[in-house]
């Protein structure tokens, strides 16, 4: 979009921001240095100084999505798959997540106390897999609302003694809309009434045809309770990862998404971030949603302090000036000044939007005030 803040415009036309703020005041607008001006407002003010505004497509540097660019193929390397678990209530999503975490995390790291930070990583055959702990539906709803893609693969849990239920169908629709590959976990196979064939049959009606039946969908019978079949599921996740070739560039400034965030009495704003590209480091100047700061401390899913976090790694950070929201994007900047500028501009825009006012000073608002 073609917009500038008062500060940016001042710089461009070699004036003091205070002068522009005064000019806007005389036009009836109370503005700050971070106030965003649209093209017409820029032209009007620039015109007052005899400056003609050239047509230029300017990147809106306060839109965090513009930093989610893809890197050159040669700079990209393999990264862990990011997995979400979905399915009908009581079909075993939580049990499966806990079971994977308990068997795999403690197995790999003796003495490691698992932290509940909203996501965790396990190692299977020497390769990492990232699981999002957030309810699949919530993750997908947030993703859809914000257009942010965070999940690579979804595990559809269907209880073998219950079959396809309304939320099973809902989950399939979410995954299809987001174009995320589905692996079906046919759960509760330890139960007397378990019937995997029935689940396969019912899912055929929703376009998920098992490989055994000539389709392309991977079905894994398992028991989240006994742990039977979980290794198989993890291997299938690795297989899909190999086919899809999920990649990222660890040698750039980090960008990603907030998994969860809250205010902690002792530590202040605490946010779990999923690094999606680049490497996040201690001390990085960062904008997270409408807040900003410097990464003060980082803790991984095993409760250990870390100095950096690469692609697909969930990490809990402190050092933000405010609490962001789940689903918010984050971007690391070159220097603190830029992070502060972008963060404050975003906070300002959000505040104005929240008040139900126009976030941008347009010609109409200028004249409305006269
Ligand atoms: P969610 O609502 O999908 O998160 O389901 P939960 O994980 O809370 O599981 C619902 C119930 O099913 C709980 O009582 C679990 O103990 C039980 N359950 C989950 N997985 C299995 C399984 O593989 N076998 C058996 N027998 N029970 C299971
Ligand atoms: Mg649950």
């Amino acid at each position: 979009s073609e917009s500038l803040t008062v500060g940016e415009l001042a710089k461009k036309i070699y004036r003091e921001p205070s002068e522009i703020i005064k000019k806007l005041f005389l036009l009836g607008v109370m503005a700050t240095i971070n106030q965003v001006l649209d093209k017409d407002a820029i032209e009007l003010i620039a015109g007052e100084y005899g400056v003609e505004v050239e047509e230029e497509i300017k990147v809106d540097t306060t839109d965090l999505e513009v930093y989610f660019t893809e890197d050159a193929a040669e700079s990209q390397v393999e990264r862990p798959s990011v997995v979400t678990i979905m399915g009908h209530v009581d079909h075993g999503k939580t049990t499966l997540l806990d079971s994977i975490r308990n068997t795999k995390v403690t197995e790999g790291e003796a003495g490691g106390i698992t932290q509940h930070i909203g996501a965790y990583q396990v190692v299977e055959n020497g390769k990492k897999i990232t699981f999002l702990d957030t309810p699949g539906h919530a993750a997908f709803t947030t993703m859809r609302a914000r257009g942010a893609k965070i999940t690579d693969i979804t595990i559809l849990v269907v209880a073998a003694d219950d079959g396809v239920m309304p939320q099973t169908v809902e989950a399939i629709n979410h995954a299809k809309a987001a174009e995320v590959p589905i692996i079906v976990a046919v759960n509760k196979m330890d139960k007397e009434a378990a019937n995997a064939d029935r689940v396969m049959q019912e899912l055929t009606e929703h376009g998920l045809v098992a490989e055994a039946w000539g389709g392309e969908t991977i079905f894994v019978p398992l028991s989240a309770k006994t742990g039977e079949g979980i290794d198989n599921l993890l291997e299938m996740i690795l297989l899909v990862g190999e086919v899809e070739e999920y990649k990222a560039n660890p040698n750039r400034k980090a960008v990603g998404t907030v998994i969860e965030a809250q205010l902690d009495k002792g530590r202040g704003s605490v946010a779990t971030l999923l690094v999606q590209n680049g490497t996040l480091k201690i001390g990085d100047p960062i904008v997270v949603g409408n807040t900003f700061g410097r990464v003060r401390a980082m803790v991984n899913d095993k409760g250990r302090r870390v100095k950096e976090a690469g692609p697909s790694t969930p990490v809990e950070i402190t050092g933000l000036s405010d609490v962001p929201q789940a689903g918010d994007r984050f971007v690391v900047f070159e220097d603190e000044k830029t992070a502060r500028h972008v963060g404050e501009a975003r906070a300002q825009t959000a505040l104005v939007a929240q008040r139900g006012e126009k976030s941008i000073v347009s010609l109409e608002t200028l004249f409305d005030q006269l």
Side-chain angles (χ1 to χ4, degrees):
S1 74
E2 296 172 83
S3 59
L4 291 173
T5 63
V6 167
E8 287 167 341
L9 175 63
K11 215 179 220 173
K12 276 196 190 289
I13 61 175
Y14 306 104
R15 301 279 162 174
E16 286 301 314
S18 60
E19 211 178 312
I20 305 214
I21 289 167
K22 204 162 140 194
K23 195 138 254 163
L24 282 164
F25 178 74
L26 292 175
L27 290 165
V29 177
M30 298 288 285
T32 66
I33 190 162
N34 293 315
Q35 178 73 52
V36 179
L37 305 169
D38 76 2
K39 190 166 157 271
D40 290 338
I42 293 164
E43 265 173 18
L44 182 81
I45 292 158
E48 297 261 312
Y49 295 106
V51 177
E52 244 192 70
V53 179
E54 282 175 19
E55 285 291 336
E56 89 177 280
I57 306 296
K58 198 183 160 290
V59 173
D60 179 3
T61 56
T62 67
D63 178 4
L64 299 185
E65 291 304 321
V66 306
Y67 303 95
F68 282 72
T69 48
E70 230 186 87
D71 296 80
E74 61 269 21
S75 60
Q76 305 221 46
V77 296
E78 201 182 315
R79 64 165 176 83
S81 302
V82 179
V83 180
T84 318
I85 297 187
M86 296 177 89
H88 196 72
V89 66
D90 283 345
H91 279 200
K93 299 179 292 295
T94 304
T95 309
L96 181 59
L97 269 168
D98 288 348
S99 185
I100 295 169
R101 188 198 328 246
N102 294 338
T103 52
K104 288 293 152 183
V105 173
T106 42
E107 185 179 286
E109 305 212 13
I113 300 160
T114 58
Q115 293 271 112
H116 284 260
I117 65 167
Y120 65 85
Q121 282 190 320
V122 298
V123 179
E124 178 75 10
N125 295 340
K127 286 188 176 179
K128 285 179 182 166
I129 304 170
T130 304
F131 284 89
L132 298 186
D133 223 343
T134 47
H137 288 80
F140 271 91
T141 309
T142 310
M143 271 166 69
R144 282 229 297 209
R146 291 158 193 251
K149 189 165 179 170
I150 50 174
T151 306
D152 298 313
I153 300 168
T154 192
I155 307 298
L156 180 68
V157 178
V158 186
D161 62 339
D162 202 24
V164 173
M165 297 301 277
Q167 286 166 33
T168 313
V169 179
E170 212 176 283
I172 295 169
N173 293 336
H174 276 301
K176 279 186 182 166
E179 294 176 6
V180 173
I182 296 170
I183 296 175
V184 180
V186 184
N187 190 31
K188 307 199 185 182
M189 286 304 289
D190 60 290
K191 282 189 137 184
E192 197 81 52
N195 185 347
D197 277 356
R198 189 183 127 210
V199 174
M200 282 161 83
Q201 178 61 49
E202 288 173 349
L203 283 176
T204 303
E205 289 159 33
H206 298 280
L208 298 179
V209 183
E211 287 180 313
W213 293 1
E216 290 182 339
T217 306
I218 300 170
F219 280 71
V220 183
L222 53 83
S223 167
K225 197 173 177 181
T226 68
E228 186 93 35
I230 284 180
D231 270 315
N232 216 343
L233 176 68
L234 298 179
E235 270 163 35
M236 290 304 138
I237 292 169
L238 291 181
L239 190 74
V240 173
E242 270 165 37
V243 172
E244 301 282 334
E245 296 191 300
Y246 302 117
K247 289 184 171 179
N249 173 12
N251 300 310
R252 58 167 276 174
K253 299 205 178 315
V255 297
T257 302
V258 177
I259 302 302
E260 57 178 51
Q262 69 271 327
L263 194 63
D264 182 278
K265 255 191 184 164
R267 295 183 296 162
S269 169
V270 178
T272 297
L273 308 180
L274 175 69
V275 178
Q276 293 179 275
N277 203 1
T279 298
L280 184 66
K281 296 173 181 161
I282 295 271
D284 273 348
I286 191 170
V287 173
V288 187
N290 299 326
T291 184
F292 67 95
R294 238 180 216 287
V295 179
R296 195 190 306 142
M298 291 204 279
V299 175
N300 71 10
D301 56 326
K302 278 101 195 166
R304 300 210 168 93
R305 278 179 171 264
V306 290
K307 289 200 172 77
E308 50 180 57
S312 296
T313 308
V315 73
E316 194 185 69
I317 71 153
T318 55
L320 300 176
S321 57
D322 205 347
V323 183
Q325 289 182 347
D328 276 350
R329 296 294 217 176
F330 78 81
V331 171
V332 167
F333 286 88
E334 198 72 47
D335 51 76
E336 198 163 359
K337 201 173 148 217
T338 313
R340 174 181 292 271
H341 164 75
V342 172
E344 281 178 347
R346 289 180 60 79
Q348 162 91 5
T349 307
L351 197 68
V352 172
Q354 205 177 35
R355 284 202 202 114
E357 296 168 22
K358 280 200 171 169
S359 61
I360 286 174
V361 177
S362 65
L363 266 191
E364 286 95 292
T365 51
L366 282 179
F367 289 127
D368 278 346
Q369 312 254 3
L370 288 175

